[in-house]
C-alpha cells in the first residue's frame, strides 16, 4: 500500500511534534523506501545523502518513536542487529532469518495463526509473532551441513 510523506507528517503533528525540515526528510525516506527493512541508521544516512537534510540520530529516533506511537510505523528485530521499521499499513508479516548467512524471508502472519491460537489456549498469552524473527538455517546453509 502506498503512503505519502504528508500522511506521516500529519501523524507527527497529531503527536504534538513540530514539522521541521529534518523530520520532513525522515518521513520522505520512510515513504519512499518502506518496502525495505530500514534501520534507523539507514534512515538517517538517506535523509542526509538523498534529501540533503541536517538531521542527527536523536531526531531520527524521536521521529520514529512518535510515528510508532501514532500507529503508522512498527518495528521488528531480525537478529542481533538493530531494529528494522515497517509501515503499519503493510501486511503484517513474520520473518525467518538464517543465523549463518543472514538471508531473510517474509512469511505471512496467517501462516502462524494456528500456533498462536494454541499458545493462547495453553498459556493465555496473546502473542505478537511479528516483533521478533524466527531464526534457523536457509536452504543453502542447511544443505551445506
Ligand atoms: Zn519485513
Ligand atoms: Zn522491539
Ligand atoms: Zn543461510
Amino acid at each position: 500500500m502506498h503512503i505519502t510523506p504528508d500522511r506521516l507528517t500529519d501523524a507527527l503533528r497529531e503527536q504534538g511534534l513540530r514539522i521541521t525540515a529534518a523530520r520532513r526528510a525522515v518521513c520522505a525516506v520512510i515513504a519512499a523506501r518502506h518496502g525495505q527493512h530500514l534501520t534507523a541508521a539507514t534512515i538517517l544516512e538517506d535523509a542526509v545523502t538523498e534529501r540533503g537534510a541536517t538531521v542527527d540520530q536523536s531526531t531520527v529516533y524521536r521521529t520514529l518513536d512518535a510515528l510508532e506511537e501514532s500507529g503508522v510505523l512498527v518495528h521488528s528485530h531480525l537478529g542481533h542487529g538493530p531494529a528494522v521499521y515497517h509501515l503499519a499499513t503493510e501486511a503484517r508479516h513474520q520473518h525467518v532469518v538464517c543465523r549463518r548467512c543472514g538471508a531473510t524471508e517474509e512469511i505471512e502472519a496467517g501462516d502462524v495463526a494456528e500456533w498462536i491460537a494454541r499458545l493462547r489456549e495453553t498459556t493465555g498469552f496473546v502473542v505478537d509473532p511479528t516483533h521478533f524473527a524466527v531464526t534457523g538455517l536457509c536452504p543453502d546453509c542447511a544443505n551445506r551441513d
Side-chain angles (χ1 to χ4, degrees), residues 7-46:
R7 173 73 192 83
L8 297 176
T9 49
D10 284 351
L12 291 179
R13 216 173 271 121
E14 283 159 22
Q15 291 294 311
L17 289 190
R18 216 160 40 85
I19 308 306
T20 59
R23 294 207 174 102
R24 209 177 281 284
V26 168
C27 290
V29 169
I30 295 169
R33 310 213 7 222
H34 63 83
Q36 301 166 35
H37 291 129
L38 295 169
T39 63
T42 309
I43 293 168
L44 171 62
E45 196 183 306
D46 290 356

PDB file of all heavy atoms in Angstrom, residues 7-46:
ATOM      1  N   ARG A   7       1.108  12.031   4.896  1.00  0.00           N
ATOM      2  CA  ARG A   7       0.381  11.214   5.873  1.00  0.00           C
ATOM      3  C   ARG A   7       1.237  11.017   7.131  1.00  0.00           C
ATOM      4  O   ARG A   7       0.736  11.020   8.248  1.00  0.00           O
ATOM      5  CB  ARG A   7       0.026   9.870   5.225  1.00  0.00           C
ATOM      6  CG  ARG A   7      -0.574   8.838   6.144  1.00  0.00           C
ATOM      7  CD  ARG A   7      -2.007   9.188   6.528  1.00  0.00           C
ATOM      8  NE  ARG A   7      -2.473   8.340   7.633  1.00  0.00           N
ATOM      9  CZ  ARG A   7      -2.220   8.586   8.925  1.00  0.00           C
ATOM     10  NH1 ARG A   7      -1.512   9.632   9.289  1.00  0.00           N
ATOM     11  NH2 ARG A   7      -2.682   7.767   9.852  1.00  0.00           N
ATOM     12  N   LEU A   8       2.536  10.877   6.912  1.00  0.00           N
ATOM     13  CA  LEU A   8       3.454  10.670   8.049  1.00  0.00           C
ATOM     14  C   LEU A   8       3.669  11.967   8.834  1.00  0.00           C
ATOM     15  O   LEU A   8       3.690  11.946  10.070  1.00  0.00           O
ATOM     16  CB  LEU A   8       4.796  10.110   7.554  1.00  0.00           C
ATOM     17  CG  LEU A   8       4.731   8.728   6.886  1.00  0.00           C
ATOM     18  CD1 LEU A   8       6.092   8.314   6.361  1.00  0.00           C
ATOM     19  CD2 LEU A   8       4.193   7.675   7.848  1.00  0.00           C
ATOM     20  N   THR A   9       3.816  13.079   8.123  1.00  0.00           N
ATOM     21  CA  THR A   9       3.993  14.342   8.859  1.00  0.00           C
ATOM     22  C   THR A   9       2.704  14.705   9.609  1.00  0.00           C
ATOM     23  O   THR A   9       2.763  15.264  10.702  1.00  0.00           O
ATOM     24  CB  THR A   9       4.438  15.505   7.936  1.00  0.00           C
ATOM     25  OG1 THR A   9       3.599  15.543   6.788  1.00  0.00           O
ATOM     26  CG2 THR A   9       5.875  15.352   7.504  1.00  0.00           C
ATOM     27  N   ASP A  10       1.544  14.346   9.037  1.00  0.00           N
ATOM     28  CA  ASP A  10       0.283  14.556   9.769  1.00  0.00           C
ATOM     29  C   ASP A  10       0.295  13.788  11.088  1.00  0.00           C
ATOM     30  O   ASP A  10      -0.145  14.294  12.129  1.00  0.00           O
ATOM     31  CB  ASP A  10      -0.918  14.083   8.939  1.00  0.00           C
ATOM     32  CG  ASP A  10      -1.267  15.063   7.831  1.00  0.00           C
ATOM     33  OD1 ASP A  10      -0.691  16.176   7.820  1.00  0.00           O
ATOM     34  OD2 ASP A  10      -2.094  14.718   6.977  1.00  0.00           O
ATOM     35  N   ALA A  11       0.799  12.550  11.017  1.00  0.00           N
ATOM     36  CA  ALA A  11       0.855  11.715  12.222  1.00  0.00           C
ATOM     37  C   ALA A  11       1.768  12.359  13.275  1.00  0.00           C
ATOM     38  O   ALA A  11       1.459  12.331  14.468  1.00  0.00           O
ATOM     39  CB  ALA A  11       1.347  10.312  11.869  1.00  0.00           C
ATOM     40  N   LEU A  12       2.877  12.949  12.821  1.00  0.00           N
ATOM     41  CA  LEU A  12       3.791  13.622  13.764  1.00  0.00           C
ATOM     42  C   LEU A  12       3.116  14.822  14.412  1.00  0.00           C
ATOM     43  O   LEU A  12       3.258  15.065  15.612  1.00  0.00           O
ATOM     44  CB  LEU A  12       5.057  14.089  13.038  1.00  0.00           C
ATOM     45  CG  LEU A  12       6.008  13.003  12.546  1.00  0.00           C
ATOM     46  CD1 LEU A  12       7.191  13.640  11.833  1.00  0.00           C
ATOM     47  CD2 LEU A  12       6.480  12.138  13.701  1.00  0.00           C
ATOM     48  N   ARG A  13       2.392  15.562  13.592  1.00  0.00           N
ATOM     49  CA  ARG A  13       1.697  16.753  14.092  1.00  0.00           C
ATOM     50  C   ARG A  13       0.677  16.349  15.155  1.00  0.00           C
ATOM     51  O   ARG A  13       0.544  16.998  16.190  1.00  0.00           O
ATOM     52  CB  ARG A  13       1.013  17.462  12.916  1.00  0.00           C
ATOM     53  CG  ARG A  13       1.030  18.973  13.023  1.00  0.00           C
ATOM     54  CD  ARG A  13       0.487  19.619  11.759  1.00  0.00           C
ATOM     55  NE  ARG A  13       1.511  19.867  10.759  1.00  0.00           N
ATOM     56  CZ  ARG A  13       1.513  19.379   9.523  1.00  0.00           C
ATOM     57  NH1 ARG A  13       0.548  18.581   9.125  1.00  0.00           N
ATOM     58  NH2 ARG A  13       2.473  19.674   8.682  1.00  0.00           N
ATOM     59  N   GLU A  14      -0.029  15.232  14.884  1.00  0.00           N
ATOM     60  CA  GLU A  14      -1.012  14.738  15.852  1.00  0.00           C
ATOM     61  C   GLU A  14      -0.338  14.341  17.164  1.00  0.00           C
ATOM     62  O   GLU A  14      -0.958  14.368  18.223  1.00  0.00           O
ATOM     63  CB  GLU A  14      -1.756  13.511  15.290  1.00  0.00           C
ATOM     64  CG  GLU A  14      -2.819  13.879  14.265  1.00  0.00           C
ATOM     65  CD  GLU A  14      -3.193  12.700  13.363  1.00  0.00           C
ATOM     66  OE1 GLU A  14      -2.971  11.529  13.777  1.00  0.00           O
ATOM     67  OE2 GLU A  14      -3.682  12.945  12.248  1.00  0.00           O
ATOM     68  N   GLN A  15       0.945  13.960  17.081  1.00  0.00           N
ATOM     69  CA  GLN A  15       1.695  13.613  18.291  1.00  0.00           C
ATOM     70  C   GLN A  15       2.284  14.841  18.964  1.00  0.00           C
ATOM     71  O   GLN A  15       3.048  14.724  19.928  1.00  0.00           O
ATOM     72  CB  GLN A  15       2.823  12.631  17.950  1.00  0.00           C
ATOM     73  CG  GLN A  15       2.356  11.253  17.542  1.00  0.00           C
ATOM     74  CD  GLN A  15       1.688  10.506  18.672  1.00  0.00           C
ATOM     75  OE1 GLN A  15       2.224  10.437  19.771  1.00  0.00           O
ATOM     76  NE2 GLN A  15       0.516   9.975  18.439  1.00  0.00           N
ATOM     77  N   GLY A  16       1.999  16.011  18.412  1.00  0.00           N
ATOM     78  CA  GLY A  16       2.459  17.246  19.035  1.00  0.00           C
ATOM     79  C   GLY A  16       3.857  17.675  18.628  1.00  0.00           C
ATOM     80  O   GLY A  16       4.446  18.549  19.257  1.00  0.00           O
ATOM     81  N   LEU A  17       4.408  17.052  17.587  1.00  0.00           N
ATOM     82  CA  LEU A  17       5.753  17.433  17.134  1.00  0.00           C
ATOM     83  C   LEU A  17       5.668  18.528  16.081  1.00  0.00           C
ATOM     84  O   LEU A  17       4.779  18.526  15.232  1.00  0.00           O
ATOM     85  CB  LEU A  17       6.488  16.226  16.534  1.00  0.00           C
ATOM     86  CG  LEU A  17       6.942  15.120  17.475  1.00  0.00           C
ATOM     87  CD1 LEU A  17       7.859  14.156  16.735  1.00  0.00           C
ATOM     88  CD2 LEU A  17       7.666  15.684  18.679  1.00  0.00           C
ATOM     89  N   ARG A  18       6.629  19.439  16.149  1.00  0.00           N
ATOM     90  CA  ARG A  18       6.744  20.463  15.143  1.00  0.00           C
ATOM     91  C   ARG A  18       7.355  19.832  13.890  1.00  0.00           C
ATOM     92  O   ARG A  18       8.246  19.003  13.980  1.00  0.00           O
ATOM     93  CB  ARG A  18       7.661  21.579  15.664  1.00  0.00           C
ATOM     94  CG  ARG A  18       7.287  22.970  15.261  1.00  0.00           C
ATOM     95  CD  ARG A  18       7.928  23.996  16.214  1.00  0.00           C
ATOM     96  NE  ARG A  18       9.295  23.614  16.569  1.00  0.00           N
ATOM     97  CZ  ARG A  18      10.376  23.910  15.823  1.00  0.00           C
ATOM     98  NH1 ARG A  18      10.255  24.598  14.714  1.00  0.00           N
ATOM     99  NH2 ARG A  18      11.580  23.532  16.210  1.00  0.00           N
ATOM    100  N   ILE A  19       6.855  20.226  12.712  1.00  0.00           N
ATOM    101  CA  ILE A  19       7.367  19.632  11.480  1.00  0.00           C
ATOM    102  C   ILE A  19       8.552  20.457  10.974  1.00  0.00           C
ATOM    103  O   ILE A  19       8.383  21.514  10.377  1.00  0.00           O
ATOM    104  CB  ILE A  19       6.268  19.538  10.395  1.00  0.00           C
ATOM    105  CG1 ILE A  19       5.023  18.830  10.957  1.00  0.00           C
ATOM    106  CG2 ILE A  19       6.810  18.788   9.176  1.00  0.00           C
ATOM    107  CD1 ILE A  19       5.295  17.467  11.585  1.00  0.00           C
ATOM    108  N   THR A  20       9.739  19.949  11.244  1.00  0.00           N
ATOM    109  CA  THR A  20      10.961  20.618  10.804  1.00  0.00           C
ATOM    110  C   THR A  20      11.419  19.990   9.491  1.00  0.00           C
ATOM    111  O   THR A  20      10.914  18.938   9.081  1.00  0.00           O
ATOM    112  CB  THR A  20      12.077  20.417  11.848  1.00  0.00           C
ATOM    113  OG1 THR A  20      12.297  19.004  11.997  1.00  0.00           O
ATOM    114  CG2 THR A  20      11.681  21.000  13.194  1.00  0.00           C
ATOM    115  N   ALA A  21      12.397  20.624   8.844  1.00  0.00           N
ATOM    116  CA  ALA A  21      12.950  20.070   7.597  1.00  0.00           C
ATOM    117  C   ALA A  21      13.541  18.681   7.849  1.00  0.00           C
ATOM    118  O   ALA A  21      13.408  17.773   7.017  1.00  0.00           O
ATOM    119  CB  ALA A  21      14.012  21.003   7.039  1.00  0.00           C
ATOM    120  N   ALA A  22      14.172  18.512   9.005  1.00  0.00           N
ATOM    121  CA  ALA A  22      14.773  17.212   9.330  1.00  0.00           C
ATOM    122  C   ALA A  22      13.706  16.126   9.449  1.00  0.00           C
ATOM    123  O   ALA A  22      13.847  15.031   8.897  1.00  0.00           O
ATOM    124  CB  ALA A  22      15.555  17.324  10.640  1.00  0.00           C
ATOM    125  N   ARG A  23      12.615  16.426  10.147  1.00  0.00           N
ATOM    126  CA  ARG A  23      11.545  15.426  10.318  1.00  0.00           C
ATOM    127  C   ARG A  23      10.865  15.138   8.982  1.00  0.00           C
ATOM    128  O   ARG A  23      10.483  14.007   8.704  1.00  0.00           O
ATOM    129  CB  ARG A  23      10.524  15.912  11.338  1.00  0.00           C
ATOM    130  CG  ARG A  23      11.119  16.015  12.728  1.00  0.00           C
ATOM    131  CD  ARG A  23      10.092  15.846  13.817  1.00  0.00           C
ATOM    132  NE  ARG A  23      10.785  15.811  15.106  1.00  0.00           N
ATOM    133  CZ  ARG A  23      10.838  16.853  15.934  1.00  0.00           C
ATOM    134  NH1 ARG A  23      10.222  17.986  15.643  1.00  0.00           N
ATOM    135  NH2 ARG A  23      11.487  16.752  17.069  1.00  0.00           N
ATOM    136  N   ARG A  24      10.728  16.189   8.163  1.00  0.00           N
ATOM    137  CA  ARG A  24      10.133  16.003   6.846  1.00  0.00           C
ATOM    138  C   ARG A  24      10.995  15.047   6.008  1.00  0.00           C
ATOM    139  O   ARG A  24      10.477  14.183   5.301  1.00  0.00           O
ATOM    140  CB  ARG A  24      10.018  17.360   6.148  1.00  0.00           C
ATOM    141  CG  ARG A  24       8.894  17.471   5.161  1.00  0.00           C
ATOM    142  CD  ARG A  24       8.822  18.872   4.568  1.00  0.00           C
ATOM    143  NE  ARG A  24       8.172  19.841   5.456  1.00  0.00           N
ATOM    144  CZ  ARG A  24       6.859  19.900   5.652  1.00  0.00           C
ATOM    145  NH1 ARG A  24       6.057  19.053   5.036  1.00  0.00           N
ATOM    146  NH2 ARG A  24       6.339  20.792   6.463  1.00  0.00           N
ATOM    147  N   ALA A  25      12.306  15.190   6.099  1.00  0.00           N
ATOM    148  CA  ALA A  25      13.224  14.330   5.342  1.00  0.00           C
ATOM    149  C   ALA A  25      13.115  12.881   5.810  1.00  0.00           C
ATOM    150  O   ALA A  25      13.107  11.948   4.997  1.00  0.00           O
ATOM    151  CB  ALA A  25      14.660  14.834   5.492  1.00  0.00           C
ATOM    152  N   VAL A  26      13.019  12.676   7.120  1.00  0.00           N
ATOM    153  CA  VAL A  26      12.872  11.323   7.668  1.00  0.00           C
ATOM    154  C   VAL A  26      11.583  10.692   7.124  1.00  0.00           C
ATOM    155  O   VAL A  26      11.574   9.542   6.671  1.00  0.00           O
ATOM    156  CB  VAL A  26      12.868  11.353   9.212  1.00  0.00           C
ATOM    157  CG1 VAL A  26      12.429  10.013   9.786  1.00  0.00           C
ATOM    158  CG2 VAL A  26      14.251  11.738   9.735  1.00  0.00           C
ATOM    159  N   CYS A  27      10.500  11.446   7.125  1.00  0.00           N
ATOM    160  CA  CYS A  27       9.220  10.939   6.612  1.00  0.00           C
ATOM    161  C   CYS A  27       9.314  10.620   5.127  1.00  0.00           C
ATOM    162  O   CYS A  27       8.759   9.627   4.660  1.00  0.00           O
ATOM    163  CB  CYS A  27       8.106  11.957   6.862  1.00  0.00           C
ATOM    164  SG  CYS A  27       7.676  12.098   8.600  1.00  0.00           S
ATOM    165  N   ALA A  28      10.033  11.460   4.373  1.00  0.00           N
ATOM    166  CA  ALA A  28      10.174  11.235   2.931  1.00  0.00           C
ATOM    167  C   ALA A  28      10.921   9.936   2.653  1.00  0.00           C
ATOM    168  O   ALA A  28      10.553   9.169   1.763  1.00  0.00           O
ATOM    169  CB  ALA A  28      10.889  12.421   2.284  1.00  0.00           C
ATOM    170  N   VAL A  29      11.971   9.672   3.429  1.00  0.00           N
ATOM    171  CA  VAL A  29      12.747   8.437   3.243  1.00  0.00           C
ATOM    172  C   VAL A  29      11.868   7.221   3.540  1.00  0.00           C
ATOM    173  O   VAL A  29      11.838   6.254   2.780  1.00  0.00           O
ATOM    174  CB  VAL A  29      13.990   8.427   4.165  1.00  0.00           C
ATOM    175  CG1 VAL A  29      14.643   7.046   4.187  1.00  0.00           C
ATOM    176  CG2 VAL A  29      14.989   9.491   3.712  1.00  0.00           C
ATOM    177  N   ILE A  30      11.127   7.271   4.634  1.00  0.00           N
ATOM    178  CA  ILE A  30      10.287   6.127   5.008  1.00  0.00           C
ATOM    179  C   ILE A  30       9.205   5.891   3.955  1.00  0.00           C
ATOM    180  O   ILE A  30       8.952   4.761   3.550  1.00  0.00           O
ATOM    181  CB  ILE A  30       9.646   6.344   6.394  1.00  0.00           C
ATOM    182  CG1 ILE A  30      10.740   6.396   7.458  1.00  0.00           C
ATOM    183  CG2 ILE A  30       8.647   5.231   6.712  1.00  0.00           C
ATOM    184  CD1 ILE A  30      10.243   6.877   8.803  1.00  0.00           C
ATOM    185  N   ALA A  31       8.586   6.954   3.484  1.00  0.00           N
ATOM    186  CA  ALA A  31       7.508   6.808   2.496  1.00  0.00           C
ATOM    187  C   ALA A  31       8.056   6.238   1.189  1.00  0.00           C
ATOM    188  O   ALA A  31       7.403   5.426   0.535  1.00  0.00           O
ATOM    189  CB  ALA A  31       6.830   8.153   2.252  1.00  0.00           C
ATOM    190  N   ALA A  32       9.275   6.643   0.817  1.00  0.00           N
ATOM    191  CA  ALA A  32       9.835   6.212  -0.459  1.00  0.00           C
ATOM    192  C   ALA A  32      10.355   4.777  -0.411  1.00  0.00           C
ATOM    193  O   ALA A  32      10.345   4.072  -1.416  1.00  0.00           O
ATOM    194  CB  ALA A  32      10.959   7.155  -0.876  1.00  0.00           C
ATOM    195  N   ARG A  33      10.835   4.327   0.739  1.00  0.00           N
ATOM    196  CA  ARG A  33      11.571   3.053   0.782  1.00  0.00           C
ATOM    197  C   ARG A  33      10.986   2.068   1.777  1.00  0.00           C
ATOM    198  O   ARG A  33      11.668   1.183   2.268  1.00  0.00           O
ATOM    199  CB  ARG A  33      13.031   3.341   1.148  1.00  0.00           C
ATOM    200  CG  ARG A  33      13.599   4.434   0.266  1.00  0.00           C
ATOM    201  CD  ARG A  33      15.044   4.317  -0.045  1.00  0.00           C
ATOM    202  NE  ARG A  33      15.679   3.099   0.388  1.00  0.00           N
ATOM    203  CZ  ARG A  33      16.882   3.073   0.944  1.00  0.00           C
ATOM    204  NH1 ARG A  33      17.528   4.169   1.154  1.00  0.00           N
ATOM    205  NH2 ARG A  33      17.418   1.921   1.279  1.00  0.00           N
ATOM    206  N   HIS A  34       9.675   2.197   2.059  1.00  0.00           N
ATOM    207  CA  HIS A  34       9.118   1.393   3.141  1.00  0.00           C
ATOM    208  C   HIS A  34       9.056  -0.092   2.844  1.00  0.00           C
ATOM    209  O   HIS A  34       8.869  -0.891   3.747  1.00  0.00           O
ATOM    210  CB  HIS A  34       7.726   1.909   3.522  1.00  0.00           C
ATOM    211  CG  HIS A  34       6.741   1.799   2.417  1.00  0.00           C
ATOM    212  ND1 HIS A  34       6.074   0.640   2.167  1.00  0.00           N
ATOM    213  CD2 HIS A  34       6.340   2.681   1.490  1.00  0.00           C
ATOM    214  CE1 HIS A  34       5.275   0.819   1.131  1.00  0.00           C
ATOM    215  NE2 HIS A  34       5.430   2.044   0.694  1.00  0.00           N
ATOM    216  N   GLY A  35       9.195  -0.480   1.569  1.00  0.00           N
ATOM    217  CA  GLY A  35       9.176  -1.911   1.261  1.00  0.00           C
ATOM    218  C   GLY A  35      10.422  -2.614   1.769  1.00  0.00           C
ATOM    219  O   GLY A  35      10.463  -3.829   1.878  1.00  0.00           O
ATOM    220  N   GLN A  36      11.453  -1.829   2.058  1.00  0.00           N
ATOM    221  CA  GLN A  36      12.707  -2.405   2.529  1.00  0.00           C
ATOM    222  C   GLN A  36      12.712  -2.453   4.051  1.00  0.00           C
ATOM    223  O   GLN A  36      11.890  -1.844   4.701  1.00  0.00           O
ATOM    224  CB  GLN A  36      13.873  -1.546   2.039  1.00  0.00           C
ATOM    225  CG  GLN A  36      13.898  -1.442   0.533  1.00  0.00           C
ATOM    226  CD  GLN A  36      14.813  -0.339   0.044  1.00  0.00           C
ATOM    227  OE1 GLN A  36      15.840  -0.090   0.650  1.00  0.00           O
ATOM    228  NE2 GLN A  36      14.442   0.308  -1.022  1.00  0.00           N
ATOM    229  N   HIS A  37      13.671  -3.188   4.582  1.00  0.00           N
ATOM    230  CA  HIS A  37      13.802  -3.239   6.033  1.00  0.00           C
ATOM    231  C   HIS A  37      14.770  -2.150   6.461  1.00  0.00           C
ATOM    232  O   HIS A  37      15.974  -2.341   6.462  1.00  0.00           O
ATOM    233  CB  HIS A  37      14.283  -4.621   6.479  1.00  0.00           C
ATOM    234  CG  HIS A  37      13.244  -5.680   6.272  1.00  0.00           C
ATOM    235  ND1 HIS A  37      13.482  -6.857   5.616  1.00  0.00           N
ATOM    236  CD2 HIS A  37      11.947  -5.712   6.632  1.00  0.00           C
ATOM    237  CE1 HIS A  37      12.369  -7.577   5.592  1.00  0.00           C
ATOM    238  NE2 HIS A  37      11.422  -6.911   6.202  1.00  0.00           N
ATOM    239  N   LEU A  38      14.233  -1.007   6.802  1.00  0.00           N
ATOM    240  CA  LEU A  38      15.045   0.170   7.104  1.00  0.00           C
ATOM    241  C   LEU A  38      15.435   0.201   8.572  1.00  0.00           C
ATOM    242  O   LEU A  38      14.573   0.091   9.448  1.00  0.00           O
ATOM    243  CB  LEU A  38      14.256   1.435   6.785  1.00  0.00           C
ATOM    244  CG  LEU A  38      13.887   1.675   5.320  1.00  0.00           C
ATOM    245  CD1 LEU A  38      12.892   2.827   5.224  1.00  0.00           C
ATOM    246  CD2 LEU A  38      15.125   1.975   4.498  1.00  0.00           C
ATOM    247  N   THR A  39      16.720   0.378   8.840  1.00  0.00           N
ATOM    248  CA  THR A  39      17.152   0.629  10.211  1.00  0.00           C
ATOM    249  C   THR A  39      17.179   2.136  10.433  1.00  0.00           C
ATOM    250  O   THR A  39      17.167   2.920   9.475  1.00  0.00           O
ATOM    251  CB  THR A  39      18.580   0.080  10.460  1.00  0.00           C
ATOM    252  OG1 THR A  39      19.488   0.780   9.606  1.00  0.00           O
ATOM    253  CG2 THR A  39      18.669  -1.405  10.178  1.00  0.00           C
ATOM    254  N   ALA A  40      17.249   2.540  11.693  1.00  0.00           N
ATOM    255  CA  ALA A  40      17.334   3.973  11.997  1.00  0.00           C
ATOM    256  C   ALA A  40      18.588   4.574  11.350  1.00  0.00           C
ATOM    257  O   ALA A  40      18.565   5.706  10.854  1.00  0.00           O
ATOM    258  CB  ALA A  40      17.365   4.189  13.511  1.00  0.00           C
ATOM    259  N   ALA A  41      19.677   3.793  11.319  1.00  0.00           N
ATOM    260  CA  ALA A  41      20.931   4.284  10.734  1.00  0.00           C
ATOM    261  C   ALA A  41      20.773   4.534   9.229  1.00  0.00           C
ATOM    262  O   ALA A  41      21.271   5.526   8.701  1.00  0.00           O
ATOM    263  CB  ALA A  41      22.062   3.293  10.998  1.00  0.00           C
ATOM    264  N   THR A  42      20.080   3.627   8.538  1.00  0.00           N
ATOM    265  CA  THR A  42      19.844   3.796   7.101  1.00  0.00           C
ATOM    266  C   THR A  42      18.961   5.008   6.847  1.00  0.00           C
ATOM    267  O   THR A  42      19.193   5.770   5.905  1.00  0.00           O
ATOM    268  CB  THR A  42      19.132   2.549   6.528  1.00  0.00           C
ATOM    269  OG1 THR A  42      19.855   1.397   6.918  1.00  0.00           O
ATOM    270  CG2 THR A  42      19.033   2.616   5.013  1.00  0.00           C
ATOM    271  N   ILE A  43      17.945   5.157   7.674  1.00  0.00           N
ATOM    272  CA  ILE A  43      17.030   6.292   7.510  1.00  0.00           C
ATOM    273  C   ILE A  43      17.798   7.601   7.704  1.00  0.00           C
ATOM    274  O   ILE A  43      17.650   8.536   6.921  1.00  0.00           O
ATOM    275  CB  ILE A  43      15.850   6.171   8.507  1.00  0.00           C
ATOM    276  CG1 ILE A  43      14.976   4.968   8.132  1.00  0.00           C
ATOM    277  CG2 ILE A  43      15.028   7.470   8.524  1.00  0.00           C
ATOM    278  CD1 ILE A  43      13.966   4.563   9.191  1.00  0.00           C
ATOM    279  N   LEU A  44      18.660   7.626   8.713  1.00  0.00           N
ATOM    280  CA  LEU A  44      19.482   8.823   8.965  1.00  0.00           C
ATOM    281  C   LEU A  44      20.383   9.113   7.767  1.00  0.00           C
ATOM    282  O   LEU A  44      20.438  10.238   7.265  1.00  0.00           O
ATOM    283  CB  LEU A  44      20.323   8.602  10.226  1.00  0.00           C
ATOM    284  CG  LEU A  44      21.404   9.642  10.538  1.00  0.00           C
ATOM    285  CD1 LEU A  44      20.796  11.012  10.776  1.00  0.00           C
ATOM    286  CD2 LEU A  44      22.216   9.218  11.755  1.00  0.00           C
ATOM    287  N   GLU A  45      21.064   8.075   7.297  1.00  0.00           N
ATOM    288  CA  GLU A  45      22.004   8.243   6.187  1.00  0.00           C
ATOM    289  C   GLU A  45      21.292   8.749   4.929  1.00  0.00           C
ATOM    290  O   GLU A  45      21.775   9.660   4.252  1.00  0.00           O
ATOM    291  CB  GLU A  45      22.662   6.897   5.919  1.00  0.00           C
ATOM    292  CG  GLU A  45      23.910   6.966   5.078  1.00  0.00           C
ATOM    293  CD  GLU A  45      24.442   5.562   4.799  1.00  0.00           C
ATOM    294  OE1 GLU A  45      24.655   4.815   5.768  1.00  0.00           O
ATOM    295  OE2 GLU A  45      24.601   5.233   3.615  1.00  0.00           O
ATOM    296  N   ASP A  46      20.147   8.142   4.616  1.00  0.00           N
ATOM    297  CA  ASP A  46      19.424   8.538   3.406  1.00  0.00           C
ATOM    298  C   ASP A  46      18.841   9.942   3.526  1.00  0.00           C
ATOM    299  O   ASP A  46      18.766  10.671   2.539  1.00  0.00           O
ATOM    300  CB  ASP A  46      18.308   7.541   3.106  1.00  0.00           C
ATOM    301  CG  ASP A  46      18.863   6.199   2.649  1.00  0.00           C
ATOM    302  OD1 ASP A  46      20.101   6.102   2.505  1.00  0.00           O
ATOM    303  OD2 ASP A  46      18.081   5.267   2.458  1.00  0.00           O
TER     304      ASP A  46
END
